[in-house]
Amino acid sequence: MTAPVLASTRSELAALLSDARRAGQRIGLVPTMGALHEGHASLMRMAREQVGADGKVVVSIFVNPLQFGAGEDLDRYPRTLEADLAITAQEDVDIVFAPSVEEVYPGWAQGSGQPQVTLDPGPLGAILEGSTRPGHFAGMLIVVAKLFGLVGPDVAVFGEKDYQQLALIRRMVEDLCLGIDVVGAPTRRERDGLALSSRNRYLGPEERLEAVHLSRALFAAQDAAAYGAGAALDAAHAEVRRATSVDIDYLVVTAVDLGELPEAPPAGTEARILVAARVGSTRLIDNMSLTIGSTTGSGSDS
Ligand code: PAF
């Protein structure tokens, strides 16, 4: 396996992709903010599966300032390009696109880089993460739309860990007829269940122990979902109460499209449980599938 080629500018990226386009090769994009881990590696493998051995897998690494609000962790977000490149080198990636802020938002340094045409995430972007992180989804959609424009992928792979983000990207692609297949990849977890996240590296040893209550809460909800959505939520809350320093932002059961579940969903209804919480100064999110009122077991989140 050869190491991927690193492109830092739009023109380098365009030059690298033009032959692939001419040859009709499929292009798969994995957008990331770097600080890569096994979860990202699994997205790269999925992109390769999607485009085949002849296709091109592009990984973008860009910490997008537009999706961080005031007081969030933009400045301390881990930037680990060397280590990231080593991971992409093990995963059959063809191109790593790691642009500067100026390259993505020309004029940023002079204060004129903010796009004037923006994207409104709509009602789906106003709930859950959208209600605590105003502007986050609008900024995320802008950069994803830009990356789609710069890379021109046939397929783009995103993690289900950011479930609302994935739903919004699917909605954007559908509403704006972008013609890109958006593929969601299952959340990867530590052995004790904690969802892999670039932000886990902020956790001190005590906080790391506390953080595991979040995934335990979701697993408890999966076990209790046979008895209904209320029972699932109660089980999750009971688990979270065992934590001493987990500050819940939201813990909710929704329909799979993040809408409200009907009052008495028929047995076998698929649903989602989502949590966001602060553990110390670190904000973590997680989610899992639920099968309500069915004794055949819940979804297959691993
Ligand atoms: O999920 C992320 O890492 C980011 O939100 C994304 C999709 C790369 C956009 O900056």
Side-chain angles (χ1 to χ4, degrees), residues 31-33 64 67 140 143-144 158 162 165:
T32 80
M33 298 206 299
N64 172 34
Q67 69 187 75
M140 178 280 292
V143 84
V144 171
F158 296 87
D162 294 294
Q165 165 173 284

Side-chain angles (χ1 to χ4, degrees), residues 26-30 47 50-51 55-59 151 153-157:
R26 280 169 63 73
I27 298 172
L29 172 65
V30 181
Q50 293 288 321
V51 299
K56 293 279 180 211
V57 172
V58 181
V59 172
V151 175
D154 298 284
V155 53
V157 185

Side-chain angles (χ1 to χ4, degrees), residues 189 192-193 214-224 288 301-302:
R189 299 182 178 280
D192 65 0
L214 298 181
S215 55
R216 281 198 193 139
L218 305 188
F219 282 122
Q222 282 195 328
D223 288 343
M288 283 185 199
D301 307 277
S302 57

